[in-house]
Amino acid sequence: MASPSRPWAAAERAVTTRATPPGEAGILDAAVAVMAEHGYHGTSVRDIAVRAGVSPAALYHHFPSKQQVLVTIMERGVEALLERTRAAVDAAGPHPADRLRALVETQVLFHLEDQRGTLLGTSELRALEEPVRGPHRAKRQEQQRMFDGVVADGVAAGVFGTPLPEEAARAIVVMCTGVAGWYSPQGRLSRTEVVGRYQQLALDMVGAQER
């Protein structure tokens, strides 16, 4: 029976009998799960190792610190989002309404793919340390600027009527990111339906003209 002072002891013994321990991906998945439950500062390296089914030493083989685990999760996330967003906008064509629809679809679906991971990326930004925090914030701002640019282009072209383009663009991003906090696959809306509704909401927010 495990000692009450070491509740992870049984899990540590189980690690020694596992034939193929998870690699980096398994450790990252475990870190997302534990940090989503307890927060970055409430999670230890041992907590992550136990959830992943590896020893702390095995975790340190992949990551030198808990901070590096968080950095990897957040950097990979924002880089993937930027890549998808650029591709979606490029494929959408020149019309601002089509480009805004593409932005909304990408932002919503990305945040529904891994809801715990994207929520972690939002809530634990404050836990990132320099020199990573500054460049990471810049990447997030780049994502926002893509929305800003499309809305501004629509206003300049006379197809969006909002008098507050910057505020509208920020509100759209917040709205799309927020789906990770409330969406349930068991709910009444499918992901596709959420995308369609949010696309219409975004177009309404910028005062898009009928085409």
Side-chain angles (χ1 to χ4, degrees):
M1 183 173 180
S3 166
S5 64
R6 297 185 72 247
W8 53 80
E12 285 181 328
R13 287 195 297 271
V15 168
T16 63
T17 64
R18 176 174 290 185
T20 308
E24 181 178 293
I27 292 169
L28 293 173
D29 287 345
V32 168
V34 178
M35 290 182 191
E37 295 169 7
H38 303 293
Y40 175 79
H41 293 294
T43 297
S44 68
V45 167
R46 188 178 296 278
D47 293 332
I48 299 170
V50 169
R51 183 67 63 94
V54 300
S55 67
L59 187 150
Y60 282 121
H61 175 74
H62 294 280
F63 301 99
S65 65
K66 183 178 73 168
Q67 176 68 195
Q68 188 57 47
V69 174
L70 181 67
V71 166
T72 302
I73 292 167
M74 296 185 68
E75 281 289 284
R76 288 185 181 179
V78 74
E79 290 286 359
L81 178 58
L82 284 169
E83 181 179 354
R84 292 190 198 181
T85 304
R86 294 185 195 110
V89 172
D90 288 345
H95 198 283
D98 294 333
R99 293 165 76 84
L100 183 57
R101 287 191 188 92
L103 284 170
V104 169
E105 179 178 20
T106 302
Q107 191 85 2
V108 169
L109 292 179
F110 184 86
H111 284 83
L112 291 181
E113 272 185 17
D114 176 12
Q115 289 172 252
R116 289 188 305 183
T118 53
L119 280 172
L120 180 71
T122 301
S123 65
E124 295 299 345
L125 177 60
R126 63 188 182 279
L128 277 184
E129 300 171 1
E130 296 295 357
V132 175
R133 183 187 296 176
H136 184 82
R137 283 185 179 273
K139 292 173 185 177
R140 288 172 174 262
Q141 290 165 358
E142 180 183 347
Q143 178 73 7
Q144 178 65 59
R145 284 197 300 272
M146 283 191 267
F147 282 81
D148 296 343
V150 167
V151 175
D153 289 345
V155 171
V159 297
F160 294 163
T162 177
L164 300 169
E166 292 182 5
E167 290 82 355
R170 282 197 297 271
I172 292 167
V173 170
V174 171
M175 175 180 75
C176 295
T177 301
V179 296
W182 65 262
Y183 179 78
S184 170
Q186 287 73 48
R188 64 187 181 88
L189 296 175
S190 68
R191 287 174 169 82
T192 301
E193 289 171 323
V194 173
V195 168
R197 291 186 179 205
Y198 274 41
Q199 286 173 324
Q200 187 58 56
L201 283 170
L203 291 170
D204 290 345
M205 290 167 71
V206 299
Q209 295 181 356
E210 294 291 336
R211 294 172 63 184

